Amino acid sequence: MIGKKSGVATQLISQYPDLVVWHCSNHRLELAVHDVLEEVDGINHFKIFFDKLYSLYSASPKNQYELKRCAANLDVQLYSIGRILDTRWVSSSLRSVKAVWSNYNALYQHFDNASIDMSRQSKERCTYSGLKDRLTETGFVYNLGLLYDALSELSYLSLELQKRNKTLPEAHALITRQIRVVESMIDNPGIYLKQVETSINVLEFRHVKLHNGRRVTKINSAQFYRSLTNNLKQRLLRFSSHRSGTEPQISEDYNKFVKTLEIFDRNQWPQEPSIRYGEDEIRVLCEKFKLSGHDYVRSFREYVDSGIVSKPLDLLMKTVNTLVVSTAECERIFSAMNIIHSDLRNKLKVTTVSSLLFIKCVGPPLPLFKPQTYVKAWMLLGRRDADYTKCAARQKDQAPNLTTEYQLLWDHLN
């Protein structure tokens, strides 16, 4: 949809050159993470192991029960293990990594018990033995701590960008700050990786003995964070998602546009601004949004002089805030539609689905819902309430004619 030649955005810009095309920041964040997945060795093997854990417990109630029993014996709260780095947001990947981190003892106990369980087939016992061996490798534990740190920061960024009231200047400040945080982890590891490094030195993690194996590819942390930083800059600090060249570059148009929007932030102003401070930026925004420049320039002068936001300037600020940072709201509606219009409920009319989606997505929560108005409207249509007892007597069907050609046979059987 953002293609350079025949994408929807390109076609729209050809007809409406003043459109501001903004690829969803959350989707671009996911694309940046998948770029790192292709560039850094070891992440794919880590992802495959999580896929194996997911299939192992999601498709077998027996395995789920055994894992719950191991967690109960160890007094550990059990978390659900899902896939990582797939089509879901990075916050979903964080929950899966956190689940393995928290349930590490229970997973080891389950693999150990299943590997010596003689009621299982030899092939199945070997599978669990291999899983236990991989789980206790120092390389896997190192990768677990590394991904836990990275996904914690990326999940925070993703959840903040999904908020409805997030404006473009706020999103830009958040993105640049998180990129600096990730970049700092090249030389200064996060808290979980530090815990893991301490555990590797003593070959014990969460009271489980570790060993130095060769089956797990250890991720190079410096290369990982450097690749993540470069891809975040390349994907998020641009107007479009197209990649040009090998080195990350901040789009010049994007940089100028964000700098123009910072004119509304008084924290970015000099200590004693001139009375004509910011006039050029205001004219650029007025030209961009097809507004009359003179009124807004005079209104901004009043804002610089006295701090009062008059009506024209307030309109310009609201116009800037209409720029959409993320389309996560649309994704929520698609998810709600898949729940409402399911395979077993696929004959709903479009108007019915639309009404149910409206209630699901923007309707009030149940404690705030006031049904009196809707109940009265229901009653006025001639319908009865649940406590209505003065119903007409039920008309019984007439007795059927019992005389048939089988009457003699029935008499004989009786």
Side-chain angles (χ1 to χ4, degrees):
M1 297 180 69
I2 314 293
K4 290 183 178 179
K5 296 182 179 179
S6 59
V8 176
T10 305
Q11 298 292 334
L12 288 173
I13 290 178
S14 63
Q15 300 181 33
Y16 309 99
D18 296 323
L19 279 179
V20 178
V21 177
W22 189 265
H23 190 190
C24 172
S25 297
N26 285 99
H27 283 91
R28 287 194 283 178
L29 175 61
E30 300 299 323
L31 291 174
V33 173
H34 283 280
D35 291 340
V36 178
L37 194 66
E38 297 175 358
E39 294 176 0
V40 181
D41 293 334
I43 303 180
N44 267 321
H45 298 87
F46 189 79
K47 180 179 182 298
I48 292 172
F49 182 76
F50 266 77
D51 292 342
K52 177 65 177 178
L53 292 180
Y54 173 75
S55 60
L56 186 69
Y57 292 109
S58 64
S60 174
K62 177 185 176 182
N63 290 334
Q64 292 179 16
Y65 173 75
E66 291 177 350
L67 181 62
K68 289 179 181 178
R69 187 170 57 187
C70 293
N73 293 335
L74 297 171
D75 196 19
V76 175
Q77 182 179 359
L78 195 63
Y79 295 94
S80 177
I81 301 175
R83 300 182 185 274
I84 64 169
L85 306 176
D86 59 351
T87 56
R88 297 174 179 245
W89 301 125
V90 289
S91 54
S92 175
S93 300
L94 174 63
R95 288 193 294 269
S96 299
V97 172
K98 181 181 178 181
V100 173
W101 179 281
S102 303
N103 303 338
Y104 188 85
N105 297 4
L107 287 170
Y108 172 79
Q109 190 66 47
H110 180 218
F111 293 160
D112 186 54
N113 294 341
S115 64
I116 58 176
D117 186 3
M118 300 307 297
S119 63
R120 299 176 183 269
Q121 297 180 358
S122 60
K123 183 179 179 180
E124 192 175 2
R125 293 198 303 271
C126 290
T127 300
Y128 282 103
S129 178
L131 290 174
K132 183 185 72 172
D133 184 63
R134 182 164 297 187
L135 187 72
T136 54
E137 278 196 34
T138 55
F140 173 80
V141 176
Y142 183 90
N143 295 344
L144 184 66
L146 177 66
L147 268 295
Y148 200 170
D149 283 325
L151 290 175
S152 297
E153 299 297 335
L154 295 176
S155 176
Y156 169 74
L157 176 60
S158 177
L159 294 175
E160 286 295 316
L161 291 176
Q162 292 178 39
K163 290 184 177 179
R164 296 176 177 176
N165 58 350
K166 188 65 66 178
T167 62
L168 183 55
E170 294 173 349
H172 174 73
L174 175 66
I175 290 170
T176 53
R177 181 171 65 250
Q178 288 302 110
I179 289 176
R180 294 200 306 270
V181 170
V182 173
E183 193 171 14
S184 68
M185 290 183 174
I186 297 176
D187 301 318
N188 185 16
I191 56 173
Y192 297 107
L193 187 56
K194 289 180 179 178
Q195 295 179 24
V196 164
E197 289 176 340
T198 304
S199 300
I200 290 176
N201 291 333
V202 297
L203 290 179
E204 184 177 348
F205 177 66
R206 302 180 71 86
H207 307 292
V208 175
K209 295 294 182 180
L210 303 179
H211 68 278
N212 294 313
R214 297 181 179 180
R215 300 181 63 184
V216 178
T217 303
K218 186 178 178 181
I219 301 173
N220 188 322
S221 61
Q223 180 191 7
F224 171 76
Y225 282 120
R226 193 174 292 112
S227 174
L228 183 58
T229 301
N230 293 342
N231 283 290
L232 288 175
K233 290 179 179 178
Q234 184 72 22
R235 289 287 189 180
L236 292 174
L237 299 182
R238 300 180 65 87
F239 263 122
S240 67
S241 62
H242 302 304
R243 307 183 69 183
S244 57
T246 57
E247 295 297 327
Q249 298 177 353
I250 297 177
S251 172
E252 194 65 28
D253 294 335
Y254 171 84
N255 198 20
K256 289 180 180 179
F257 189 66
V258 172
K259 288 292 183 183
T260 303
L261 297 180
E262 288 178 354
I263 198 64
F264 298 115
D265 186 5
R266 298 183 70 93
N267 296 326
Q268 304 289 338
W269 291 4
Q271 292 183 355
E272 296 182 359
S274 170
I275 189 63
R276 298 187 60 190
Y277 174 77
E279 287 187 7
D280 294 337
E281 288 81 358
I282 295 298
R283 287 193 175 94
V284 170
L285 291 176
C286 290
E287 183 180 357
K288 186 71 176 178
F289 297 112
K290 302 301 180 183
L291 301 173
S292 176
H294 298 291
D295 295 337
Y296 296 95
V297 169
R298 296 189 185 96
S299 179
F300 190 76
R301 289 174 184 170
E302 183 180 359
Y303 180 56
V304 173
D305 188 38
S306 60
I308 299 175
V309 180
S310 57
K311 186 175 181 180
L313 185 60
D314 182 61
L315 176 61
L316 181 58
M317 290 180 175
K318 290 180 178 178
T319 304
V320 170
N321 290 339
T322 59
L323 296 174
V324 180
V325 175
S326 171
T327 58
E329 195 73 22
C330 300
E331 301 295 335
R332 296 191 188 100
I333 294 177
F334 282 128
S335 299
M337 183 182 68
N338 292 333
I339 295 173
I340 293 173
H341 199 275
S342 62
D343 294 338
L344 301 178
R345 200 185 185 194
N346 57 6
K347 292 186 178 181
L348 297 175
K349 294 182 179 179
V350 175
T351 54
T352 305
V353 175
S354 177
S355 300
L356 292 174
L357 279 175
F358 182 82
I359 296 172
K360 173 71 175 178
C361 297
V362 300
L366 192 59
L368 301 179
F369 177 63
K370 299 179 180 179
Q372 291 82 359
T373 304
Y374 303 97
V375 172
K376 291 179 181 178
W378 176 273
M379 300 288 292
L380 291 174
L381 292 175
R383 297 182 174 91
R384 298 188 293 268
D385 61 274
D387 298 332
Y388 189 81
T389 58
K390 298 181 180 180
C391 301
R394 179 181 177 183
Q395 295 181 356
K396 297 182 179 180
D397 297 334
Q398 295 180 356
N401 184 12
L402 300 179
T403 303
T404 65
E405 60 271 19
Y406 292 105
Q407 186 64 44
L408 295 176
L409 177 60
W410 295 343
D411 293 341
H412 177 72
L413 294 175
N414 291 331

